[in-house]
Amino acid sequence: MPRAPDVSCRGRARWLVAAALSLAAVLCGAGGLVALAGDGANAGAGAGAGDGAGVDGKDARGASPANGGERAEGATPVQEVGASSARPLGTPPRPAEVAPPPSSRRPWAAGRRPAAPPPLEGKTYDFALDAKVAGGAEKSWLGRAFVHPRAAEEPRPMPLLVFLHGINGELIRYRWMGGGQEGDVRRIASELMDAGSAPPMLVAAPSAVIPAATAVARTSWPQFDLARFVDLTVERLAGIATVDRSRIVVVGHSGGGCNATGGIVSAVHGAMPVHAALVVDVCMDADVAARLGRVRDTTHVVVSWQTLSWAKRPFRDFERVFRREVAQSPAAPGVLRELEHLRPLEPMPHDAMVPLVLRRWLPALLGPDALPDVPCVSP
């Protein structure tokens, strides 16, 4: 990642805004990925009691012309509106935005069926935690780990990306890791490694296929034990690749981040320190905000959400509680406590949030200029 000119973060921010205004047409033509909106009144618009309707269901994934989901690709340039969620608590600036490569853009808006993806380079390894060892069927899972060719050649310990999927009423095996239709985290990570945007990393995910563990968002992934999952991942990859336990990034998507005592919340409060938690389009409940705001002071926390297909959530309560808890338990210097409202330009915005967030944040969290080693991340 190239370093920024030798100017202050604030000065560069002013320069970027001016450049964005003058080069909007160029950005549009480049296929801007997302428009950022303020997380105050705009983010709260339409937010009700937040009953979680649509979590990982058709309402959450579907996009209709009424909600803007069928917006033409590149119609809105990348831009920042107001101070909002960019650096809500005086943290370093957000990373440069990572546009998806042309090969990954979906042709659905043009009425064409998406082409079959190319073969996935790398090897996948399966393992499991059975009910007897886990202490109950609801805590058991199937596990899958992925080793990219660049990771297979890396002699040093590597970061580990752990992905927690949302509710799984269909009981799909290895959701987001080769199973289901939403996407594939292995491919997203591979794109970043192939482009040199992120260093060699390992990818692993548990797969919940027991109704008691995945049927309801707010009870999904009960008491998820991250340390045990990492231990079993390390054991499965013994002799193949080495995990750097100091660089564990946990992602909780949708129902993977709705349980105040499970999922990504239990992961960041477990025995194993977590380098970063990416909380992606979850239920936004206040009790989850309270737990996420009081993590270890060395753990980066980024909460990202969209309102195109899931607007009925208590955003204002979440923000209020999160900010209060962070103020009482501040992060270490340079460690992120980020809230951001994103606007995906692809259909199925709930699912589109996963690649969008990973492309935005993994390079900044794991790359050569990884936070907090430098005060600004170059666009």
Side-chain angles (χ1 to χ4, degrees), residues 55-369:
V55 181
D56 287 312
K58 293 182 179 179
D59 292 342
R61 292 199 300 267
S64 65
N67 69 17
E70 295 293 335
R71 184 180 298 275
E73 182 178 285
T76 304
V78 177
Q79 59 182 324
E80 178 175 334
V81 182
S84 70
S85 58
R87 291 184 291 282
L89 300 164
T91 53
R94 66 165 55 90
E97 303 188 3
V98 183
S103 61
S104 71
R105 293 180 182 172
R106 302 175 185 176
W108 301 336
R112 302 190 303 273
R113 293 179 63 85
L120 180 66
E121 295 187 5
K123 294 185 178 180
T124 297
Y125 303 87
D126 293 341
F127 55 105
L129 177 67
D130 64 36
K132 182 180 294 186
V133 175
E138 73 282 359
K139 298 178 185 177
S140 65
W141 38 256
L142 304 174
R144 174 165 282 185
F146 171 69
V147 181
H148 185 271
R150 286 189 63 194
E153 298 171 355
E154 178 60 55
R156 296 169 298 183
M158 287 168 284
L160 175 65
L161 176 66
V162 177
F163 183 84
L164 296 176
H165 65 72
I167 64 173
N168 188 16
E170 302 94 329
L171 303 183
I172 296 171
R173 295 161 65 95
Y174 308 114
R175 199 160 205 166
W176 282 96
M177 287 287 284
Q181 301 298 318
E182 298 93 342
D184 194 329
V185 175
R186 301 173 302 172
R187 292 185 180 275
I188 300 168
S190 294
E191 289 176 5
L192 295 173
M193 286 184 273
D194 288 339
S197 302
M201 72 179 79
L202 303 168
V203 182
S207 174
V209 291
I210 302 297
T214 190
V216 179
R218 290 174 175 81
T219 58
S220 290
W221 296 109
Q223 301 176 38
F224 174 67
D225 189 338
L226 175 66
R228 174 176 279 179
F229 178 79
V230 172
D231 285 344
L232 292 178
T233 302
V234 169
E235 179 181 314
R236 183 65 182 87
L237 296 181
I240 301 169
T242 306
V243 172
D244 181 351
R245 293 175 183 263
S246 69
R247 290 189 293 169
I248 305 294
V249 177
V250 185
V251 182
H253 176 235
S254 195
C258 288
N259 189 340
T261 60
I264 197 169
V265 173
S266 60
V268 296
H269 283 279
M272 170 174 288
V274 172
H275 175 62
L278 300 178
V279 186
V280 185
D281 215 27
V282 301
C283 297
M284 306 295 287
D285 292 340
D287 54 351
V288 172
R291 303 289 312 277
L292 291 175
R294 281 186 172 267
V295 300
R296 290 178 177 88
D297 63 358
T298 55
T299 299
H300 298 285
V301 177
V302 179
V303 182
S304 309
W305 72 93
Q306 56 83 30
T307 51
L308 289 172
S309 66
W310 193 5
K312 193 179 180 182
R313 285 177 284 177
F315 302 105
R316 290 177 178 172
D317 288 344
F318 185 97
E319 178 186 10
R320 174 181 54 80
V321 173
F322 183 81
R323 291 181 183 276
R324 181 195 68 202
E325 296 301 319
V326 170
Q328 294 177 2
S329 301
V335 175
L336 296 173
R337 294 289 183 269
E338 188 90 358
L339 300 174
E340 59 175 10
H341 177 198
L342 306 182
R343 183 181 177 86
L345 297 184
E346 297 185 20
M348 304 187 204
H350 183 60
D351 292 344
M353 287 289 288
V354 172
L356 182 110
V357 170
L358 296 186
R359 289 168 183 146
R360 282 170 60 75
W361 288 103
L362 288 182
L365 292 167
L366 299 176
D369 286 339

